[in-house]
mmCIF file with all atom_site columns, all heavy atoms in Angstrom:
data_model
loop_
_atom_site.group_PDB
_atom_site.id
_atom_site.type_symbol
_atom_site.label_atom_id
_atom_site.label_alt_id
_atom_site.label_comp_id
_atom_site.label_asym_id
_atom_site.label_entity_id
_atom_site.label_seq_id
_atom_site.pdbx_PDB_ins_code
_atom_site.Cartn_x
_atom_site.Cartn_y
_atom_site.Cartn_z
_atom_site.occupancy
_atom_site.B_iso_or_equiv
_atom_site.pdbx_formal_charge
_atom_site.auth_seq_id
_atom_site.auth_comp_id
_atom_site.auth_asym_id
_atom_site.auth_atom_id
_atom_site.pdbx_PDB_model_num
ATOM   1   N N   . TYR A 1 107 ? -138.050 9.791  19.733 1.00 97.00 ? 107 TYR A N   1
ATOM   2   C CA  . TYR A 1 107 ? -137.634 8.421  20.036 1.00 97.00 ? 107 TYR A CA  1
ATOM   3   C C   . TYR A 1 107 ? -138.801 7.683  20.689 1.00 97.00 ? 107 TYR A C   1
ATOM   4   O O   . TYR A 1 107 ? -139.344 8.128  21.706 1.00 97.00 ? 107 TYR A O   1
ATOM   5   C CB  . TYR A 1 107 ? -136.417 8.429  20.962 1.00 97.00 ? 107 TYR A CB  1
ATOM   6   C CG  . TYR A 1 107 ? -135.934 7.043  21.306 1.00 97.00 ? 107 TYR A CG  1
ATOM   7   C CD1 . TYR A 1 107 ? -135.609 6.137  20.303 1.00 97.00 ? 107 TYR A CD1 1
ATOM   8   C CD2 . TYR A 1 107 ? -135.798 6.648  22.639 1.00 97.00 ? 107 TYR A CD2 1
ATOM   9   C CE1 . TYR A 1 107 ? -135.167 4.865  20.604 1.00 97.00 ? 107 TYR A CE1 1
ATOM   10  C CE2 . TYR A 1 107 ? -135.344 5.377  22.953 1.00 97.00 ? 107 TYR A CE2 1
ATOM   11  C CZ  . TYR A 1 107 ? -135.033 4.488  21.926 1.00 97.00 ? 107 TYR A CZ  1
ATOM   12  O OH  . TYR A 1 107 ? -134.597 3.223  22.224 1.00 97.00 ? 107 TYR A OH  1
ATOM   13  N N   . SER A 1 110 ? -137.154 1.124  22.033 1.00 95.00 ? 110 SER A N   1
ATOM   14  C CA  . SER A 1 110 ? -136.740 -0.071 21.279 1.00 95.00 ? 110 SER A CA  1
ATOM   15  C C   . SER A 1 110 ? -135.960 0.291  20.006 1.00 95.00 ? 110 SER A C   1
ATOM   16  O O   . SER A 1 110 ? -136.055 -0.410 19.005 1.00 95.00 ? 110 SER A O   1
ATOM   17  C CB  . SER A 1 110 ? -137.942 -0.921 20.884 1.00 95.00 ? 110 SER A CB  1
ATOM   18  O OG  . SER A 1 110 ? -138.722 -1.185 22.012 1.00 95.00 ? 110 SER A OG  1
ATOM   19  N N   . GLY A 1 111 ? -135.224 1.385  20.042 1.00 96.00 ? 111 GLY A N   1
ATOM   20  C CA  . GLY A 1 111 ? -134.397 1.763  18.907 1.00 96.00 ? 111 GLY A CA  1
ATOM   21  C C   . GLY A 1 111 ? -135.154 2.403  17.768 1.00 96.00 ? 111 GLY A C   1
ATOM   22  O O   . GLY A 1 111 ? -134.580 2.681  16.716 1.00 96.00 ? 111 GLY A O   1
ATOM   23  N N   . GLU A 1 112 ? -136.486 2.676  17.976 1.00 97.00 ? 112 GLU A N   1
ATOM   24  C CA  . GLU A 1 112 ? -137.297 3.196  16.871 1.00 97.00 ? 112 GLU A CA  1
ATOM   25  C C   . GLU A 1 112 ? -137.546 4.699  16.995 1.00 97.00 ? 112 GLU A C   1
ATOM   26  O O   . GLU A 1 112 ? -137.739 5.223  18.093 1.00 97.00 ? 112 GLU A O   1
ATOM   27  C CB  . GLU A 1 112 ? -138.631 2.448  16.836 1.00 97.00 ? 112 GLU A CB  1
ATOM   28  C CG  . GLU A 1 112 ? -138.460 0.951  16.723 1.00 97.00 ? 112 GLU A CG  1
ATOM   29  C CD  . GLU A 1 112 ? -139.376 0.354  15.691 1.00 97.00 ? 112 GLU A CD  1
ATOM   30  O OE1 . GLU A 1 112 ? -140.588 0.474  15.903 1.00 97.00 ? 112 GLU A OE1 1
ATOM   31  O OE2 . GLU A 1 112 ? -138.869 -0.193 14.694 1.00 97.00 ? 112 GLU A OE2 1
ATOM   32  N N   . ASN A 1 132 ? -135.746 2.231  12.583 1.00 97.00 ? 132 ASN A N   1
ATOM   33  C CA  . ASN A 1 132 ? -134.883 1.705  13.635 1.00 97.00 ? 132 ASN A CA  1
ATOM   34  C C   . ASN A 1 132 ? -133.446 2.188  13.446 1.00 97.00 ? 132 ASN A C   1
ATOM   35  O O   . ASN A 1 132 ? -132.758 1.804  12.509 1.00 97.00 ? 132 ASN A O   1
ATOM   36  C CB  . ASN A 1 132 ? -134.927 0.172  13.634 1.00 97.00 ? 132 ASN A CB  1
ATOM   37  C CG  . ASN A 1 132 ? -134.343 -0.381 14.932 1.00 97.00 ? 132 ASN A CG  1
ATOM   38  O OD1 . ASN A 1 132 ? -133.362 0.141  15.448 1.00 97.00 ? 132 ASN A OD1 1
ATOM   39  N ND2 . ASN A 1 132 ? -134.971 -1.420 15.464 1.00 97.00 ? 132 ASN A ND2 1
ATOM   40  N N   . GLY A 1 134 ? -131.425 2.320  16.341 1.00 96.00 ? 134 GLY A N   1
ATOM   41  C CA  . GLY A 1 134 ? -130.766 1.942  17.591 1.00 96.00 ? 134 GLY A CA  1
ATOM   42  C C   . GLY A 1 134 ? -131.055 2.917  18.711 1.00 96.00 ? 134 GLY A C   1
ATOM   43  O O   . GLY A 1 134 ? -131.559 4.011  18.501 1.00 96.00 ? 134 GLY A O   1
ATOM   44  N N   . GLU A 1 135 ? -130.725 2.491  19.925 1.00 95.00 ? 135 GLU A N   1
ATOM   45  C CA  . GLU A 1 135 ? -130.953 3.356  21.080 1.00 95.00 ? 135 GLU A CA  1
ATOM   46  C C   . GLU A 1 135 ? -130.103 4.609  20.976 1.00 95.00 ? 135 GLU A C   1
ATOM   47  O O   . GLU A 1 135 ? -128.996 4.567  20.463 1.00 95.00 ? 135 GLU A O   1
ATOM   48  C CB  . GLU A 1 135 ? -130.600 2.602  22.366 1.00 95.00 ? 135 GLU A CB  1
ATOM   49  C CG  . GLU A 1 135 ? -131.664 1.580  22.740 1.00 95.00 ? 135 GLU A CG  1
ATOM   50  C CD  . GLU A 1 135 ? -131.230 0.712  23.912 1.00 95.00 ? 135 GLU A CD  1
ATOM   51  O OE1 . GLU A 1 135 ? -130.135 0.961  24.442 1.00 95.00 ? 135 GLU A OE1 1
ATOM   52  O OE2 . GLU A 1 135 ? -131.979 -0.203 24.257 1.00 95.00 ? 135 GLU A OE2 1
ATOM   53  N N   . PRO A 1 172 ? -120.425 -3.835 23.943 1.00 31.00 ? 172 PRO A N   1
ATOM   54  C CA  . PRO A 1 172 ? -121.072 -3.728 22.633 1.00 31.00 ? 172 PRO A CA  1
ATOM   55  C C   . PRO A 1 172 ? -122.567 -3.466 22.677 1.00 31.00 ? 172 PRO A C   1
ATOM   56  O O   . PRO A 1 172 ? -123.371 -4.386 22.661 1.00 31.00 ? 172 PRO A O   1
ATOM   57  C CB  . PRO A 1 172 ? -120.761 -5.081 21.987 1.00 31.00 ? 172 PRO A CB  1
ATOM   58  C CG  . PRO A 1 172 ? -120.313 -5.954 23.099 1.00 31.00 ? 172 PRO A CG  1
ATOM   59  C CD  . PRO A 1 172 ? -119.672 -5.059 24.095 1.00 31.00 ? 172 PRO A CD  1
ATOM   60  N N   . SER A 1 173 ? -122.930 -2.202 22.772 1.00 30.00 ? 173 SER A N   1
ATOM   61  C CA  . SER A 1 173 ? -124.345 -1.869 22.763 1.00 30.00 ? 173 SER A CA  1
ATOM   62  C C   . SER A 1 173 ? -124.836 -1.313 21.443 1.00 30.00 ? 173 SER A C   1
ATOM   63  O O   . SER A 1 173 ? -126.037 -1.093 21.303 1.00 30.00 ? 173 SER A O   1
ATOM   64  C CB  . SER A 1 173 ? -124.660 -0.874 23.882 1.00 30.00 ? 173 SER A CB  1
ATOM   65  O OG  . SER A 1 173 ? -123.970 0.320  23.659 1.00 30.00 ? 173 SER A OG  1
ATOM   66  N N   . PRO A 1 174 ? -123.938 -1.044 20.441 1.00 33.00 ? 174 PRO A N   1
ATOM   67  C CA  . PRO A 1 174 ? -124.488 -0.635 19.148 1.00 33.00 ? 174 PRO A CA  1
ATOM   68  C C   . PRO A 1 174 ? -125.587 -1.615 18.722 1.00 33.00 ? 174 PRO A C   1
ATOM   69  O O   . PRO A 1 174 ? -125.324 -2.805 18.534 1.00 33.00 ? 174 PRO A O   1
ATOM   70  C CB  . PRO A 1 174 ? -123.287 -0.710 18.197 1.00 33.00 ? 174 PRO A CB  1
ATOM   71  C CG  . PRO A 1 174 ? -122.107 -0.521 19.066 1.00 33.00 ? 174 PRO A CG  1
ATOM   72  C CD  . PRO A 1 174 ? -122.490 -1.057 20.416 1.00 33.00 ? 174 PRO A CD  1
ATOM   73  N N   . THR A 1 175 ? -126.763 -1.143 18.593 1.00 31.00 ? 175 THR A N   1
ATOM   74  C CA  . THR A 1 175 ? -127.932 -2.015 18.530 1.00 31.00 ? 175 THR A CA  1
ATOM   75  C C   . THR A 1 175 ? -128.103 -2.713 17.196 1.00 31.00 ? 175 THR A C   1
ATOM   76  O O   . THR A 1 175 ? -127.374 -2.453 16.258 1.00 31.00 ? 175 THR A O   1
ATOM   77  C CB  . THR A 1 175 ? -129.207 -1.206 18.830 1.00 31.00 ? 175 THR A CB  1
ATOM   78  O OG1 . THR A 1 175 ? -129.058 0.041  18.193 1.00 31.00 ? 175 THR A OG1 1
ATOM   79  C CG2 . THR A 1 175 ? -129.414 -1.040 20.301 1.00 31.00 ? 175 THR A CG2 1
ATOM   80  N N   . ASN A 1 176 ? -129.102 -3.573 17.143 1.00 35.00 ? 176 ASN A N   1
ATOM   81  C CA  . ASN A 1 176 ? -129.382 -4.328 15.942 1.00 35.00 ? 176 ASN A CA  1
ATOM   82  C C   . ASN A 1 176 ? -130.025 -3.434 14.896 1.00 35.00 ? 176 ASN A C   1
ATOM   83  O O   . ASN A 1 176 ? -131.220 -3.360 14.786 1.00 35.00 ? 176 ASN A O   1
ATOM   84  C CB  . ASN A 1 176 ? -130.315 -5.503 16.230 1.00 35.00 ? 176 ASN A CB  1
ATOM   85  C CG  . ASN A 1 176 ? -131.164 -5.246 17.452 1.00 35.00 ? 176 ASN A CG  1
ATOM   86  O OD1 . ASN A 1 176 ? -130.725 -4.590 18.377 1.00 35.00 ? 176 ASN A OD1 1
ATOM   87  N ND2 . ASN A 1 176 ? -132.386 -5.737 17.470 1.00 35.00 ? 176 ASN A ND2 1
ATOM   88  N N   . ASP A 1 177 ? -129.192 -2.709 14.191 1.00 35.00 ? 177 ASP A N   1
ATOM   89  C CA  . ASP A 1 177 ? -129.785 -1.911 13.123 1.00 35.00 ? 177 ASP A CA  1
ATOM   90  C C   . ASP A 1 177 ? -128.870 -1.949 11.924 1.00 35.00 ? 177 ASP A C   1
ATOM   91  O O   . ASP A 1 177 ? -127.804 -2.539 11.935 1.00 35.00 ? 177 ASP A O   1
ATOM   92  C CB  . ASP A 1 177 ? -130.027 -0.471 13.579 1.00 35.00 ? 177 ASP A CB  1
ATOM   93  C CG  . ASP A 1 177 ? -128.733 0.253  13.805 1.00 35.00 ? 177 ASP A CG  1
ATOM   94  O OD1 . ASP A 1 177 ? -127.716 -0.433 14.066 1.00 35.00 ? 177 ASP A OD1 1
ATOM   95  O OD2 . ASP A 1 177 ? -128.698 1.460  13.716 1.00 35.00 ? 177 ASP A OD2 1
HETATM 96  C C1  . NAG B 2 .   ? -133.123 -5.751 18.847 1.00 88.18 ? 3   NAG B C1  1
HETATM 97  O O1  . NAG B 2 .   ? -134.345 -5.786 18.137 1.00 88.18 ? 3   NAG B O1  1
HETATM 98  C C2  . NAG B 2 .   ? -135.342 -6.552 18.774 1.00 88.18 ? 3   NAG B C2  1
HETATM 99  C C3  . NAG B 2 .   ? -136.546 -6.556 17.862 1.00 88.18 ? 3   NAG B C3  1
HETATM 100 O O2  . NAG B 2 .   ? -136.218 -6.113 16.588 1.00 88.18 ? 3   NAG B O2  1
HETATM 101 C C4  . NAG B 2 .   ? -135.678 -5.955 20.156 1.00 88.18 ? 3   NAG B C4  1
HETATM 102 O O3  . NAG B 2 .   ? -136.638 -6.752 20.798 1.00 88.18 ? 3   NAG B O3  1
HETATM 103 C C5  . NAG B 2 .   ? -134.443 -5.864 20.987 1.00 88.18 ? 3   NAG B C5  1
HETATM 104 O O4  . NAG B 2 .   ? -134.717 -5.195 22.191 1.00 88.18 ? 3   NAG B O4  1
HETATM 105 C C6  . NAG B 2 .   ? -133.368 -5.095 20.220 1.00 88.18 ? 3   NAG B C6  1
HETATM 106 N N1  . NAG B 2 .   ? -132.156 -5.101 20.970 1.00 88.18 ? 3   NAG B N1  1
HETATM 107 C C7  . NAG B 2 .   ? -131.605 -3.990 21.388 1.00 88.18 ? 3   NAG B C7  1
HETATM 108 C C8  . NAG B 2 .   ? -130.335 -4.129 22.121 1.00 88.18 ? 3   NAG B C8  1
HETATM 109 O O5  . NAG B 2 .   ? -132.107 -2.905 21.175 1.00 88.18 ? 3   NAG B O5  1
#
Side-chain angles (χ1 to χ4, degrees):
Y107 180 55
S110 308
E112 304 226 298
N132 195 321
E135 285 173 3
S173 63
T175 40
N176 25 327
D177 68 336

